[in-house]
Amino acid sequence: MNPAYSAKLDAPFAVLGIRTSGGAVTGIDYLRRDERAQAPVNQLAARACRQLERYFANPEFRFTLPLAPAGTTFRRRVWDALATIPVGQSRTYGELARALHTAPRAVGGACGANPIALIIPCHRVVGSQGSLGGFMGTTDGDPIAIKRWLLTHEGYRFGH
């Protein structure tokens, strides 16, 4: 099943599929680079595209989009915690788990289930001892290249 996108935006590392509903952004998916861009079908999707483009120009840009991620109470707690990680910084799965009184694997599961990629910055969660950890349900290939691009764009200092 291919979800209906409100827009598809070319990004430096993928095409972003943007979903909106009820006046909020409900999803952003990383799509293949060969996916065709799609003009926004509503004002919110157009606003999301403009804000994403501003982020690509300036990683310090702060998103002001209404978000409505669908998920359990626990997953929403994790996603709220992700939103507090400053640009250029990261947290480990363990650090987030301790702060939320849960297990690192549960934090990883919530990150993997994040429906609003990039704006809810799961890319800022890394493994212990400097590993990038997982991303989009995998630990290698294109998803890790996307995570590395986002962290580099935001000024993250690898190995520190």
Side-chain angles (χ1 to χ4, degrees), residues 34-157:
D34 60 0
E35 188 82 25
R36 293 179 78 151
Q38 172 190 314
V41 299
N42 60 48
Q43 287 185 333
L44 179 58
R47 187 171 149 211
C49 289
R50 283 192 306 273
Q51 288 196 18
L52 287 161
E53 288 168 341
R54 290 186 63 192
Y55 165 81
F56 297 137
N58 174 10
E60 298 286 336
F61 176 78
R62 295 215 184 268
F63 293 99
T64 59
L65 298 165
L67 306 179
T72 65
T73 300
F74 172 76
R75 286 180 173 173
R76 286 195 309 271
R77 279 184 49 224
V78 172
W79 301 333
D80 288 346
L82 299 178
T84 69
I85 303 171
V87 171
Q89 295 185 27
S90 68
R91 300 292 180 268
T92 67
Y93 296 97
E95 288 171 328
L96 285 171
R98 284 189 293 282
L100 296 169
H101 308 290
T102 190
R105 189 174 300 271
V107 170
C111 287
N114 173 12
I116 306 177
L118 201 148
I119 295 175
I120 298 176
C122 55
H123 60 276
R124 295 182 190 149
V125 182
V126 298
S128 59
Q129 286 100 36
S131 77
L132 280 181
F135 194 59
M136 296 167 45
T138 187
T139 56
D140 63 6
D142 287 346
I144 294 301
I146 291 171
K147 184 174 187 172
R148 184 177 301 280
W149 189 96
L150 291 167
L151 289 170
T152 300
H153 176 63
E154 292 181 355
Y156 177 75
R157 295 179 62 206

